[in-house]
Amino acid sequence: MTLAEPLAGLRELLELMAAERGGVLGVPPALTADPAEEGWVPAAALTREPYDRLARLIDEVAVVSSAPRHVKAALLWKTYGYWHTVPMALGWALNRRVPIMPFDETCFRVSEAGVTVAATSIRTAVLPGDPLAGEPGTIVVDDLGAAIRQALLDGQRPLIKAIGGLTRVGERNLWGSTAEALAHPVIAFARVLPPTARAADLLAAVGKPVDGLLDFSGDGYRRRTCCLWITLPDIDEPCATCCVSAGSAENT
């Protein structure tokens, strides 16, 4: 039994996502990377004060170079946070097998997707009743929502705090992008996921700091925070899921 087996279905789904995005994907379908390959940088490097590496990355992947740094930082996080979160969201939705990237083994590199996020090794959180529970590479947990929450706190909170320390972007705004990263892929790929995979249930299972940052209605949702995209020059319309669209811009 190998680590690839519990994640085989997820890899196929990520390959489908890549195909639908013209090959541009911000996470390798295998989720792993060889840190010896050129371009990979430890994610922890972004958290070291005075945040020089983080500042360079923000400027390097900026959609609009002239935008204020806090706006560029929020949009960087929307990209990084999305790709770090997507495998966990889809793993939960597909078959309740959740890949976990330990923070000290997580790395990134600049790519066509903005950034690509991977890890030198992956743990797969599974429930006790899973046929692969106890196999090499798996972690048996009683609560997958709690496992995802801890993975977010371990793997994203240090980066969110670093971004706030450098640019003063509010943590709630950044966690709002993570909340959307949990919901969006589950809704976008509902056609190939079990009917029991509901984005609202995932957010509720994970709990704080992401639960309560999206309002669900029908098959969609709206954020209660803004990713700051609307503040870019020449952008006339907010994202379709933004709180600004509902006439509530107080959280921007």
Side-chain angles (χ1 to χ4, degrees):
M1 200 71 66
T2 65
L3 178 63
E5 293 180 11
L7 296 179
L10 175 60
R11 281 208 317 273
E12 292 177 3
L13 188 50
L14 290 172
E15 288 167 355
L16 172 62
M17 178 183 265
E20 293 189 356
R21 293 173 54 88
V24 177
L25 196 70
V27 62
L31 304 182
T32 56
D34 180 355
E37 291 183 1
E38 184 177 358
W40 290 108
V41 178
L46 300 174
T47 67
R48 297 179 189 132
E49 296 185 60
Y51 308 126
D52 292 339
R53 187 63 186 84
L54 175 60
R56 291 201 304 272
L57 180 64
I58 289 170
D59 291 337
E60 190 171 1
V61 303
V63 177
V64 178
S65 60
S66 61
R69 174 165 282 176
H70 74 283
V71 175
K72 293 189 289 187
L75 295 176
L76 166 68
W77 180 250
K78 191 174 184 180
T79 299
Y80 182 105
Y82 184 80
W83 293 118
H84 181 262
T85 304
V86 159
M88 292 187 283
L90 289 179
W92 176 89
L94 181 65
N95 51 20
R96 298 301 194 265
R97 294 173 180 170
V98 177
I100 306 294
M101 297 182 184
F103 185 59
D104 60 357
E105 298 180 42
T106 301
C107 52
F108 72 92
R109 64 182 176 188
V110 177
S111 69
E112 287 185 89
V115 292
T116 294
V117 182
T120 56
S121 67
I122 300 291
R123 321 283 190 264
T124 304
V126 300
L127 294 170
D130 191 296
L132 297 184
E135 293 294 340
T138 64
I139 305 169
V140 181
V141 301
D142 293 324
D143 186 337
L144 283 176
I148 295 173
R149 177 171 64 253
Q150 193 59 51
L152 295 176
L153 294 176
D154 292 343
Q156 296 192 13
R157 183 168 56 181
L159 295 168
I160 284 176
K161 288 187 174 298
I163 291 172
L166 178 66
T167 69
R168 303 293 183 243
V169 175
E171 289 190 17
R172 188 169 183 268
N173 281 62
L174 301 180
W175 283 121
S177 290
T178 297
E180 184 167 31
L182 285 166
H184 177 267
V186 176
I187 292 172
F189 286 90
R191 69 189 187 279
V192 295
L193 294 172
T196 54
R198 299 180 64 250
D201 293 342
L202 173 56
L203 270 290
V206 174
K208 301 297 183 182
V210 292
D211 190 30
L213 296 183
L214 302 181
D215 289 320
F216 291 92
S217 177
D219 295 330
Y221 63 89
R222 190 177 297 282
R223 291 179 56 143
R224 291 185 177 180
T225 63
C226 179
C227 71
L228 304 186
W229 171 263
I230 187 58
T231 68
L232 290 174
D234 301 323
I235 299 298
D236 297 324
E237 296 291 334
C239 305
T241 60
C242 184
C243 61
V244 174
S245 300
S248 176
E250 67 272 13
N251 293 315
T252 61

